[in-house]
Amino acid sequence: TTANECTFMGVECVGGLVSKVTLTEDGLEGSLPTDLGRLSSLVFLDLKNNNLFGEIPSELGQLNKLQYLILDKNDFTGTMPNEICKLTTQGALIGAEVDCTGTIPEVQCDCCANCPLVV
């Protein structure tokens, strides 16, 4: 049998499609799966304060309904993909948070809400 992700803790659905994932401080470990980019109805993704690492996958830029992306207090590295930043100019993404402040930021991000580079 196939599990219905709408019944998972921290997952909310609208019309049977995943619209919100809130797994803050949930002990998640590993890298973000690129398959998250397939959640076409996702509006809110909060994975704050876990043990996630690696680069943020560009596939998240396929989430054209995504309004909030909260990934801070993890161990991501690299640069916020342009595909995600483009969501801000397309009017979808309202807020993005990653660990991008400090003398040596873990993630370079020109479109994140909590970075000093954002106007």
Side-chain angles (χ1 to χ4, degrees):
T1 62
T2 303
N4 181 352
E5 59 273 353
C6 295
T7 63
F8 296 169
M9 183 182 73
V11 175
E12 293 180 29
C13 294
V14 174
L17 299 172
V18 176
S19 62
K20 185 175 182 179
V21 175
T22 307
L23 297 172
T24 304
E25 298 181 42
D26 217 42
L28 300 177
E29 295 183 10
S31 58
L32 276 183
T34 57
D35 283 347
L36 283 174
R38 298 176 62 195
L39 297 174
S40 61
S41 294
L42 193 64
V43 174
F44 186 92
L45 178 60
D46 184 352
L47 302 175
K48 181 179 182 172
N49 204 10
N50 281 287
N51 296 309
L52 300 170
F53 56 82
E55 295 194 3
I56 297 167
S58 61
E59 287 82 358
L60 295 183
Q62 298 170 16
L63 302 172
N64 59 9
K65 294 182 181 177
L66 188 66
Q67 294 179 0
Y68 295 96
L69 177 63
I70 305 167
L71 300 174
D72 54 326
K73 307 242 188 298
N74 283 289
D75 292 316
F76 293 112
T77 55
T79 302
M80 178 67 83
N82 287 332
E83 293 86 351
I84 296 172
C85 288
K86 286 179 184 176
L87 293 175
T88 60
T89 59
Q90 295 169 353
L93 190 62
I94 296 168
E97 296 180 17
V98 295
D99 296 317
C100 54
T101 58
T103 54
I104 303 175
E106 294 179 27
V107 176
Q108 298 292 323
C109 184
D110 293 334
C111 64
C112 295
N114 68 347
C115 295
L117 298 176
V118 175
V119 179

